[in-house]
Amino acid sequence: MISWIQHHLIRHGRWIFITLLAVVIVAFVGTIGNTPGCTTNRSNYEAMDYYGYDLNSQREMRPIGLRLSLSNELNQIKSSDQQQLSNQMLSRIAILSLADDIGIPTPDQEQIRAYLSKKPLFNNPSGKFDRDRLTRFLDTIDSNPILPEDILVRVLEEDYRIEQISSALAGPGYFFKEDARLQAQRYQSSYTLNTASIDYADFDPEIEAPEEALKDFYHKNADRYETPERIKASYLHFRADSFLPQIGELEEDNVREHFIKNRARFVEAYLTERPKSDPGAEIPVVKFEDVRDAVAIDLRKTQANRLANETAQNFAYELYNKAILKESPEFDDSLKSTGLSLIPIEAFSISDTGSRELPSAMLNSAFALSDARYFSDPHSFDEGYAVLIYQDRISVELPPFETVAKQVKENHAAEEKRRLFYEHGINLGAKLEAELASGANFTEAAAKLGLNVETYQSFKLFEAPETLNRTALQAAADLQEAELSPMLQTGSSGLFVYLAELEIPEITTEDSILQQATNFLKYNNSMIRMNGLASELVEHGIPTAQN
C-alpha cells in the first residue's frame, strides 16, 4: 500500500526488538489472562471478549503486542512495567474500536509520509527529522521473522487514527485565565527559605511494652504474622540426557544444517578454546570440519531435549485426555510408564516462587490447580522439562503469640516510635510558631530547639538547589511568606520549611511565560479529559469480557 516504505522493507533488514517484544508479549498475556497451553483443560478455558478480541488468546494478543511495542519505540515511550503495558494495550484496542465505530479513515500515502517524519525516534538531537535515522531504522526490520512485513505501515495507520480521535475527543482544553496567570507567577516567583530538620535515628523515646499491649497489637495486626497459603506439590523431571540413547545416527546434512543455523555460537566457542593469539594477529577462518564433532554433540543434545519435551507433553496430555484422576491406579500406571519418580517440593507460598530453583512460572501455575486439574504444563528446567503435580493446599495460619513474640515486640516498638516522632513534631512546630510570633529569628529559634538549619537564598522553582529536599520544595510552593509548614516526615528525618521571602512578579498579557502556562494548562486539561474517556472505554469493555 505504501510503496516507498515497502521498497525499503524489501531491500533492507536486520533483527530488531526480538528479545524486547518476546518479553512484552509474554508479560502482557500473563497479566491480562490465563492463556491455555497445549495441555490445558479446555473445559475450564473461558474466552475473554474485549472489543472483538479474546484477551485469553495468545494467538490474538501476540500481533497486538508486537504493534504496541513498535509504536512505543517510534514514539520513544518506555513501558517496562507489566501493568502499564496492559493498560496501554487495553486503551489501544478500545480507542481503535471507537475509531472504527465513528468511521475515522485510514490515512493515505502522503499523510503517512508526513506523519512518519514527525515520530520522535527519527529526530536528531536538535529535534528535527533525520532521514538517515529513518533509513537505518527501516534497514532493521525485514529480516526479523517475528515482525510481519507490513507491520510498520499497520502501526503508523493505527497511531494516526488514535491521534485523530484523541485530538477530537480531548477537546480544546478549557481553563480559567486566572489559573494560567497564577501558574506563570508561580513559575517566575523567587523563594528564600529555611529548613530545620531532626534525624529520626537520633530520636530515642522510652517505649513501654507490657504483654497485654503486645498481644493487643498482635491481634490487631494478625495479617503481619500469618503464614500465607502454601502449596504442597511434587514434580517429574524429564531430563534430556536420559533420551540421548534414543537418538540414532545423525545424517551429515542435518549436522551441517545445524552448524549453518548456529554458526556464530560454534565459531565463538572454537576460538575461545584456542590459545590466545597476538592482538594484531589475523582471526582464523573457522570451517565446518573444525567444529564438526562439537556440532554433532550439540545436535544430539538438541534432539534429546526435543524428545524430553514431547514426552512431558504427552504425559500431561494423557492425564487430561483420559481424565485420569489424581492419586488413582490409572495415574500410578501413567507415572510408571515414564520410568520416573515424583520429586517432592517443599511447601511454598506465592512469594516463594521467585526464590526457588524450579521455574517460577511453573510454581505460580500451581495456585490455579486443584484436585480436578492437578498437573501443570511442561516447563523448561535444568536441561530438560518438568511437570508439577499438585497435592494439597495449606490454608493461611496464624502462629501462636509465643512463637512470634520477639517480632511482635520489634514491630510494636517501631510503630510506637513513629507515633511518638509525629507527636514530637507537633510539639516542635508549636514551639517554633510561638517563637516566631514573639518576633524571634527562625534560624535562632530552630537552633535553640536542637534542629539542623539550612538556608536557601533567592531561587525560582525550576532552578531549585540540588541539595534542597524535593519534599521541602513542594511544600514551599504552597506556603505564604513568613509561613511555617508542619513537620514533614521524609524517611530518615523530620523537616520544617519556613518561607522567609517570596517575591511575586507582575505578569502581563504579553508575557511569553503566560503563553507557556496557557499552553500547558490547555494540553494538561485535554489529556485529563482524554484519559478519562479512555478509562471509560476500557471499563465498558472489561465487564463484557467477564460475562
Side-chain angles (χ1 to χ4, degrees):
M1 175 181 175
I2 311 301
S3 58
W4 69 280
I5 292 180
Q6 291 173 337
H7 175 68
H8 278 282
L9 296 182
I10 291 170
R11 291 183 55 200
H12 305 286
R14 294 289 187 276
W15 288 70
I16 182 174
F17 316 134
I18 293 178
T19 303
L20 171 64
L21 297 179
V23 170
V24 166
I25 294 165
V26 171
F28 172 73
V29 174
T31 304
I32 290 293
N34 298 315
T35 305
C38 64
T39 61
T40 298
N41 186 344
R42 295 292 298 186
S43 64
N44 292 331
Y45 174 70
E46 190 172 334
M48 194 173 187
D49 181 70
Y50 178 78
Y51 292 108
Y53 290 93
D54 180 4
L55 296 182
N56 279 342
S57 169
Q58 186 173 5
R59 180 180 60 82
E60 293 188 25
M61 290 299 100
R62 183 182 298 275
I64 302 173
L66 288 170
R67 296 199 296 275
L68 172 63
S69 299
L70 184 53
S71 174
N72 283 347
E73 184 70 16
L74 290 170
N75 294 293
Q76 297 289 272
I77 297 173
K78 295 182 179 179
S79 302
S80 56
D81 180 74
Q82 290 187 14
Q83 188 59 50
Q84 186 179 1
L85 286 168
S86 299
N87 293 339
Q88 282 186 340
M89 181 78 78
L90 293 173
S91 295
R92 188 177 186 88
I93 293 172
I95 294 173
L96 286 171
S97 176
L98 182 60
D100 290 337
D101 293 341
I102 294 177
I104 301 295
T106 299
D108 59 28
Q109 181 171 336
E110 289 304 316
Q111 289 172 320
I112 283 286
R113 188 192 299 270
Y115 184 63
L116 181 63
S117 67
K118 296 178 182 178
K119 287 297 181 182
L121 181 63
F122 309 125
N123 290 343
N124 59 25
S126 63
K128 295 183 178 180
F129 174 67
D130 186 340
R131 183 165 292 278
D132 289 340
R133 290 179 180 236
L134 171 60
T135 301
R136 288 195 297 270
F137 177 79
L138 295 175
D139 283 350
T140 64
I141 294 183
D142 190 38
S143 64
N144 183 353
I146 293 180
L147 297 177
E149 183 177 328
D150 65 344
I151 187 171
L152 179 57
V153 175
R154 179 77 179 273
V155 168
L156 292 170
E157 290 175 347
E158 290 183 349
D159 283 2
Y160 181 91
R161 298 176 75 221
I162 288 172
E163 286 194 16
Q164 292 293 307
I165 197 167
S166 297
S167 177
L169 293 179
Y174 295 107
F175 68 100
F176 292 109
K177 291 183 179 180
E178 180 63 11
D179 289 341
R181 188 185 68 80
L182 292 175
Q183 180 80 10
Q185 277 189 331
R186 188 176 188 178
Y187 188 73
Q188 289 294 90
S189 293
S190 180
Y191 296 76
T192 294
L193 58 86
N194 304 113
T195 62
S197 62
I198 175 174
D199 288 337
Y200 185 74
D202 295 339
F203 181 67
D204 188 23
E206 183 175 340
I207 298 174
E208 295 184 2
E211 186 169 318
E212 286 187 10
L214 293 178
K215 286 185 176 180
D216 182 60
F217 183 85
Y218 160 77
H219 288 295
K220 288 181 177 178
N221 299 275
D223 57 324
R224 292 191 185 187
Y225 311 106
E226 288 175 343
T227 302
E229 178 187 64
R230 289 170 292 162
I231 295 292
K232 291 178 65 177
S234 54
Y235 72 99
L236 290 172
H237 190 191
F238 297 82
R239 296 189 61 88
D241 56 12
S242 65
F243 292 87
L244 282 172
Q246 299 182 33
I247 307 300
E249 290 295 323
L250 300 175
E251 294 185 9
E252 197 64 14
D253 288 346
N254 292 338
V255 179
R256 188 176 294 274
E257 182 182 0
H258 190 61
F259 168 71
I260 293 172
K261 288 181 178 179
N262 303 276
R263 187 180 188 283
R265 177 162 58 88
F266 291 121
V267 169
E268 182 181 1
Y270 177 79
L271 294 176
T272 301
E273 294 173 359
R274 287 172 58 86
K276 291 186 177 180
S277 56
D278 296 334
E282 185 177 348
I283 299 176
V285 176
V286 180
K287 300 178 181 178
F288 169 68
E289 291 74 14
D290 298 324
V291 294
R292 195 269 175 203
D293 291 343
V295 174
I297 292 172
D298 188 80
L299 178 57
R300 290 177 63 84
K301 289 182 178 179
T302 300
Q303 293 181 350
N305 192 64
R306 188 179 298 117
L307 275 178
N309 183 21
E310 290 175 358
T311 305
Q313 296 281 359
N314 290 338
F315 170 76
Y317 183 73
E318 181 181 34
L319 298 181
Y320 158 69
N321 192 45
K322 295 183 178 180
I324 295 176
L325 299 177
K326 175 186 168 187
E327 298 177 352
S328 65
E330 291 80 7
F331 173 80
D332 293 339
D333 291 340
S334 295
L335 176 61
K336 186 176 180 180
S337 69
T338 66
L340 301 174
S341 298
L342 288 171
I343 303 172
I345 304 173
E346 182 183 353
F348 58 92
S349 66
I350 194 71
S351 62
D352 296 328
T353 58
S355 59
R356 300 292 182 90
E357 292 184 357
L358 290 165
S360 59
M362 182 176 78
L363 296 179
N364 277 318
S365 73
F367 289 87
L369 300 180
S370 63
D371 288 336
R373 168 63 198 267
Y374 57 90
F375 52 90
S376 74
D377 288 341
H379 290 261
S380 179
F381 169 64
D382 190 21
E383 298 185 357
Y385 286 83
V387 174
L388 181 141
I389 304 297
Y390 167 89
Q391 293 175 337
D392 200 1
R393 213 173 275 267
I394 303 174
S395 300
V396 174
E397 296 176 340
L398 179 63
F401 170 78
E402 291 73 20
T403 63
V404 292
K406 182 180 179 182
Q407 184 182 354
V408 172
K409 186 174 182 179
E410 291 173 354
N411 294 154
H412 175 267
E415 290 285 344
E416 279 295 288
K417 180 177 178 178
R418 279 192 286 271
R419 183 183 66 79
L420 293 173
F421 187 68
Y422 174 75
E423 291 181 356
H424 185 55
I426 293 175
N427 292 333
L428 285 174
K431 291 178 181 179
L432 279 172
E433 291 280 13
E435 291 287 334
L436 292 172
S438 67
N441 174 278
F442 175 81
T443 301
E444 294 175 356
K448 184 179 177 181
L449 292 172
L451 302 176
N452 303 312
V453 182
E454 297 286 346
T455 299
Y456 300 90
Q457 295 294 343
S458 181
F459 65 87
K460 295 178 180 178
L461 291 179
F462 63 92
E463 299 172 338
E466 291 184 3
T467 55
L468 176 59
N469 184 287
R470 298 298 106 172
T471 303
L473 177 63
Q474 184 176 358
D478 295 326
L479 294 176
Q480 301 297 320
E481 187 172 276
E483 185 179 4
L484 177 69
S485 76
M487 188 180 77
L488 312 171
Q489 296 194 39
T490 61
S492 61
S493 66
L495 188 69
F496 294 95
V497 180
Y498 178 70
L499 185 55
E501 293 182 25
L502 176 61
E503 298 178 13
I504 303 175
E506 289 295 326
I507 301 295
T508 65
T509 55
E510 294 79 19
D511 199 315
S512 61
I513 296 298
L514 179 60
Q515 187 59 50
Q516 292 178 24
T518 297
N519 293 338
F520 170 78
L521 289 176
K522 281 184 176 181
Y523 176 79
N524 189 57
N525 291 343
S526 293
M527 289 303 99
I528 290 174
R529 175 178 167 81
M530 186 58 215
N531 289 338
L533 289 170
S535 296
E536 288 182 18
L537 288 171
V538 170
E539 290 175 8
H540 175 76
I542 289 295
T544 303
Q546 293 175 340
N547 286 340

